[in-house]
Amino acid sequence: MDLALRVLGVVRSPLTDKASAPKFETDNAPPADIVLDAAYARAAKDLAVGQEILLFTWLHLADRECQAVHPRRDLSRPLTGIFSTRSPDRPNPIGLHQVRLTAIAGTVLTVAALEALDGTPVIDIKPLADRAGGK
């Protein structure tokens, strides 16, 4: 079986370390830029400011051996299996982030409230499904 993962771009964010990063986009996560590889410029042409997208990232600093965490790193809470949490620490650390596009400048997409660290690889972008029957 031939499996390959392509990095489409990289997150540029003021967040630089796991300890101080928010645990959810709703925990005051800052805006961030997604800098796409120029080879994917055409793939982003139909995105629009204001659009909600799902951003998939490879959380490269995650602990891939972790199977349980204290939710939100609160040691007073019991250990919980990672499949029941949003912890980035997991065997395959794929991040799933629902964000809104706030600006587009060529191959730089600015998104609101992203909890991913600076340098995080972006592995896919999907628009949220239009339940009204559009795209």
Side-chain angles (χ1 to χ4, degrees):
M1 180 184 301
D2 183 23
L3 300 176
L5 182 77
R6 291 189 181 159
V7 173
L8 307 178
V10 66
V11 172
R12 289 295 168 224
S13 168
L15 300 174
T16 58
D17 64 275
K18 280 175 45 172
S20 62
K23 309 307 175 255
F24 288 94
E25 63 276 3
T26 57
D27 288 345
N28 296 318
D33 288 335
I34 307 306
V35 180
L36 296 174
D37 183 301
Y40 299 103
R42 175 59 190 104
K45 288 277 189 219
D46 299 320
L47 296 175
V49 171
Q51 184 176 22
E52 295 279 329
I53 60 173
L54 295 175
L55 185 66
F56 295 82
T57 58
W58 185 259
L59 301 172
H60 64 300
L61 299 177
D63 175 355
R64 297 192 67 187
E65 303 305 315
C66 183
Q67 292 194 28
V69 296
H70 294 281
R72 293 180 169 242
R73 295 196 184 119
D74 180 349
L75 298 180
S76 69
R77 297 173 78 177
L79 280 171
T80 302
I82 52 114
F83 296 145
S84 296
T85 75
R86 289 181 48 103
S87 172
D89 296 325
R90 51 201 334 109
N92 287 310
I94 296 173
L96 174 60
H97 318 269
Q98 183 175 336
V99 295
R100 183 176 42 82
L101 288 166
T102 60
I104 301 172
T107 56
V108 178
L109 312 174
T110 302
V111 298
L114 180 62
E115 74 273 22
L117 298 179
D118 187 63
T120 298
V122 174
I123 57 174
D124 209 351
I125 297 169
K126 302 264 189 219
L128 281 179
D130 178 0
R131 304 276 185 210
K135 290 183 187 176

